[in-house]
Amino acid sequence: MTIQEPGWLPDQQEADAGGLSPIGLLCDGILSAIGQISNNPEEATVEIGTRINNILSLFSETEFEVSSAKRRISALKSDLRRVTEQLAVLRQEQFGQSSEKDRGDLLEEDLGLALEDEFDEEPKEKPKGKRARKVPKDIRVITVDHFPDDMSCGSCGDNLKSIKREVRVGKFRIVPEHLVLVQDAYHTCACNREICKENKPVAAKSGNYIMKGRGMEPEFAAEAACQKFFEHTPPYRLERRLRNANINLARQTIDKAVAHLAKHLRPIQDELHAHVLSGHTAQMDETPVKVQAPGKGKCDTGYFWVINRDEANWNSEAQPAVVYRYAHSRAGAVAEELLSWASLRFLQTDGYAGYNRLFKDNGQNEGLMPSRCNAHARRKFFEAHLATESKLAAKVVQMYRKMYAVEKAAKGLPPAEREKLRLQKTLPIMTELKAILTKHEADASGKLKTAISYTLNGFDGLQRFVFDGRLEIDNNGVERCIRGVALTKKNSLFAGSHDAADVWAIYYSLIESARLNKVNPRSYLNWLVQEIERSRGMVDYSQLMPWHCPVGRIDN
């Protein structure tokens, strides 16, 4: 008897040379075995064959339903991927550029890209339980003793005595705007002896240096600067809190004190600038800032030029620093002037054309070599993939992910080992990347064309980090230093004047350099004020760098 498989799927027919599926072959074998039994009634054989055919028919229908469900699931995944991409684009338009790490996770997980990487580490387990509360040693502790409501003995009526004292975990209390008024009393002294009447009385002199003749201490101005440039709180909020404490101190007075203190801190900014330009490599970027222009009815646009030196990824004894300089223009001439006396070998930047004049052979900075930022190139391919669903763009992002995995493995290694690892792992990826982009450059269009052209035009600078272990794969370090400026710009809307913008640059040079050296910026500024006040300005400013600060060290 031959088994019939009604509605059997074509792909199942291909599973067997005779047109039967594996289960069909099994059932056919059962019928053949039954047929070989002697004296077996034909009616029983026919009945068994009919039942088996019914089973196969039901199995065929079930398989067809499973196949249809798989197709529906595939279609739903495709719709989900498209909606996810549209949502990512809308988020970028609404909130601006986000973290490269977060956007990379979106590309890999939500878009379903399978990325294999030999450098991937196993996910770390999240710490269990609550973290231990850190309490500074110098914090003021207020102890409150608690006794029973009834302190009399129930038997004899005498007063109870404490036999056990249990001190429990303390509770933090905030004392808002705790101000102290410091009054200076200057004494005039003289000798009362008869023989000393000819000696004139001696009067005490004021010891104020930084804030001489002003109604606040330099520590007050330093705190106001920290609140604005470190905590990104506009001065009007400080003015409001002071008014709530019945102190009528105008924000203009506070701003003038902050600007006055900045004049005494400017030499430290110059020392940071000299330190940054004396290294092997530096990163440079610029960011716009709105500056109030009285009489124009609108704001001018100025620029903060940021130069960063951070060797922490390959030098355990690194002394990182970043310097901010304000300028009215974004022209390349400003960058050339800021680097006119640099001894740098490499300068890492983005693709802004204004930096090109720095690398001319006959320029003022002859010998300075360009190094480009791969994060900018990767971001363009990521955006091209979101806009066009280009498989080429997705492949390039995967290649960049592998290169960044190499950088993760190379972090903390000496320069020679970093270079060796990059030559072994990263250089083949860069070579393949250039070949792929060159092959598809002519056929690309839109955002993908822009991304390919951007990468190929600066490819030498993009791969320069491979051949020097002291270079970084991108200039994210200097871009992280701009985050604080962005927050202050958002909360303050604009700088009051060009001179005020220059004050911003001074404080950000000190605050961000302190952060790079894991020093609390508030502690650092107060230490600077105390040293300058103590020495009355006669101090070696090179000894006031953040890495010399003895207070405010951050453990992690």
Side-chain angles (χ1 to χ4, degrees):
M1 179 176 181
T2 304
I3 297 176
Q4 301 295 330
E5 300 187 66
W8 202 249
L9 299 178
D11 56 342
Q12 292 172 324
Q13 293 177 349
E14 295 175 359
D16 179 66
L20 296 178
S21 68
I23 192 172
L25 289 174
L26 179 62
C27 293
D28 192 36
I30 295 173
L31 289 175
S32 298
I34 294 174
Q36 294 175 2
I37 299 176
S38 59
N39 300 325
N40 187 32
E42 184 178 357
E43 294 81 2
T45 304
V46 172
E47 182 66 21
I48 293 174
T50 302
R51 297 293 179 90
I52 290 179
N53 274 328
N54 291 338
I55 293 173
L56 290 175
S57 178
L58 293 174
F59 179 76
S60 174
E61 293 176 1
T62 304
E63 284 290 351
F64 181 77
E65 292 177 359
V66 170
S67 177
S68 300
K70 288 182 178 180
R71 287 194 295 269
R72 288 197 300 272
I73 291 174
S74 178
L76 290 174
K77 284 184 176 181
S78 177
D79 293 341
L80 177 61
R81 183 178 66 177
R82 182 170 59 257
V83 172
T84 303
E85 293 172 355
Q86 294 173 352
L87 178 61
V89 173
L90 292 175
R91 282 177 176 173
Q92 288 185 357
E93 293 176 355
Q94 178 69 22
F95 302 107
Q97 299 292 347
S98 61
S99 167
E100 286 290 326
K101 179 179 180 181
D102 295 339
R103 300 200 298 164
D105 293 341
L106 172 67
L107 182 62
E108 297 161 18
E109 298 174 6
D110 293 345
L111 305 188
L113 295 177
L115 303 178
E116 297 180 357
D117 195 340
E118 60 183 299
F119 292 97
D120 284 350
E121 298 179 354
E122 296 181 359
K124 298 181 179 179
E125 296 183 358
K126 295 183 179 179
K128 298 180 180 180
K130 295 182 179 180
R131 294 181 298 174
R133 176 182 295 175
K134 293 184 178 180
V135 180
K137 296 180 180 180
D138 57 347
I139 192 172
R140 180 189 174 192
V141 179
I142 301 176
T143 303
V144 180
D145 291 307
H146 301 271
F147 296 95
D149 294 336
D150 187 2
M151 289 292 292
S152 60
C153 179
S155 300
C156 65
D158 288 344
N159 292 332
L160 299 179
K161 296 181 179 180
S162 177
I163 61 174
K164 180 181 178 182
R165 186 172 181 265
E166 179 186 359
V167 180
R168 300 182 180 179
V169 179
K171 302 179 291 292
F172 287 111
R173 176 189 299 173
I174 295 179
V175 182
E177 302 304 338
H178 182 71
L179 279 78
V180 177
L181 180 63
V182 179
Q183 293 182 336
D184 296 316
Y186 297 95
H187 293 263
T188 300
C189 301
C191 182
N192 292 329
R193 297 180 62 184
E194 289 290 338
I195 59 175
C196 299
K197 287 185 177 180
E198 295 182 358
N199 294 335
K200 296 181 179 179
V202 179
K205 297 181 179 180
S206 171
N208 296 332
Y209 171 68
I210 297 178
M211 290 294 178
K212 185 177 181 179
R214 297 177 180 266
M216 63 183 68
E217 291 188 341
E219 288 81 3
F220 185 100
E223 174 61 24
C226 277
Q227 292 195 19
K228 180 174 183 178
F229 302 111
F230 178 38
E231 298 175 350
H232 318 291
T233 303
Y236 78 87
R237 297 181 184 176
L238 175 59
E239 178 191 32
R240 184 173 57 193
R241 295 198 304 272
L242 293 175
R243 187 167 59 249
N244 293 338
N246 295 322
I247 299 175
N248 58 336
L249 195 58
R251 77 188 74 170
Q252 292 82 0
T253 304
I254 299 174
D255 285 339
K256 289 179 181 179
V258 171
H260 179 76
L261 176 60
K263 297 178 182 178
H264 295 271
L265 301 176
R266 187 183 298 276
I268 306 173
Q269 181 194 33
D270 296 335
E271 288 290 338
L272 289 171
H273 196 165
H275 174 75
V276 169
L277 298 188
S278 64
H280 172 267
T281 181
Q283 299 174 339
M284 194 170 188
D285 203 356
E286 74 290 331
T287 183
V289 59
K290 296 296 183 182
V291 180
Q292 193 174 22
K296 290 187 177 182
K298 60 179 183 180
C299 288
D300 290 336
T301 300
Y303 292 89
F304 287 122
W305 292 81
V306 188
I307 315 173
N308 177 47
R309 175 187 175 183
D310 191 353
E311 303 164 352
N313 284 342
W314 54 269
N315 181 10
S316 59
E317 303 297 329
Q319 297 173 340
V322 58
V323 64
Y324 297 70
R325 293 293 189 180
Y326 173 75
H328 296 247
S329 170
R330 196 193 179 199
V334 178
E336 191 172 22
E337 180 181 356
L338 293 177
L339 300 176
S340 59
W341 40 280
S343 59
L344 297 170
R345 177 57 178 162
F346 293 97
L347 182 69
Q348 190 167 30
T349 66
D350 54 21
Y352 173 47
Y355 295 111
N356 293 341
R357 65 185 295 161
L358 299 175
F359 311 116
K360 294 180 181 179
D361 293 338
N362 59 349
Q364 193 172 5
N365 293 284
E366 184 176 355
L368 187 63
M369 299 293 292
S371 179
R372 295 283 292 275
C373 174
N374 281 277
H376 284 76
R378 178 182 61 176
R379 185 180 303 132
K380 291 184 180 296
F381 283 103
F382 183 88
E383 294 170 349
H385 176 78
L386 291 180
T388 64
E389 299 185 13
S390 168
K391 293 183 178 179
L392 174 61
K395 180 176 178 60
V396 173
V397 174
Q398 293 183 51
M399 298 173 71
Y400 265 114
R401 181 176 182 270
K402 292 181 180 180
M403 286 190 281
Y404 272 87
V406 178
E407 291 305 299
K408 185 177 181 180
K411 185 176 181 180
L413 297 178
E417 295 184 24
R418 283 160 59 92
E419 180 180 340
K420 181 179 178 181
L421 186 61
R422 288 169 174 174
L423 290 173
Q424 181 183 0
K425 300 293 184 179
T426 305
L427 184 58
I429 301 176
M430 295 293 292
T431 303
E432 181 185 1
L433 175 63
K434 184 176 182 180
I436 293 175
L437 298 184
T438 303
K439 178 181 178 181
H440 293 88
E441 182 180 16
D443 302 331
S445 61
K447 289 190 174 182
L448 181 60
K449 176 72 172 180
T450 301
I452 293 177
S453 299
Y454 178 89
T455 304
L456 290 179
N457 290 339
F459 197 82
D460 290 341
L462 289 173
Q463 73 170 357
R464 184 155 283 130
F465 78 99
V466 176
F467 307 100
D468 193 323
R470 293 170 290 184
L471 298 178
E472 300 298 331
I473 189 173
D474 54 40
N475 67 345
N476 284 348
V478 68
E479 293 203 352
R480 284 191 292 268
C481 294
I482 298 179
R483 290 178 180 175
V485 178
L487 288 173
T488 301
K489 289 193 300 182
K490 179 180 179 181
N491 294 339
S492 299
L493 299 181
F494 50 76
S497 64
H498 293 289
D499 291 337
D502 193 45
V503 171
W504 285 30
I506 294 174
Y507 281 108
Y508 269 113
S509 298
L510 305 180
I511 289 173
E512 294 300 326
S513 293
R515 287 166 62 97
L516 289 177
N517 287 271
K518 297 183 179 181
V519 175
N520 184 288
R522 178 176 276 102
S523 301
Y524 178 55
L525 279 184
N526 279 282
W527 176 68
L528 292 178
V529 167
Q530 293 169 7
E531 290 298 309
I532 296 174
E533 183 77 12
R534 178 185 58 80
S535 64
R536 304 186 69 82
M538 303 300 293
V539 61
D540 182 5
Y541 288 99
S542 65
Q543 298 302 311
L544 298 183
M545 298 293 97
W547 47 90
H548 294 310
C549 182
V551 295
R553 291 286 173 182
I554 301 175
D555 296 335
N556 49 15

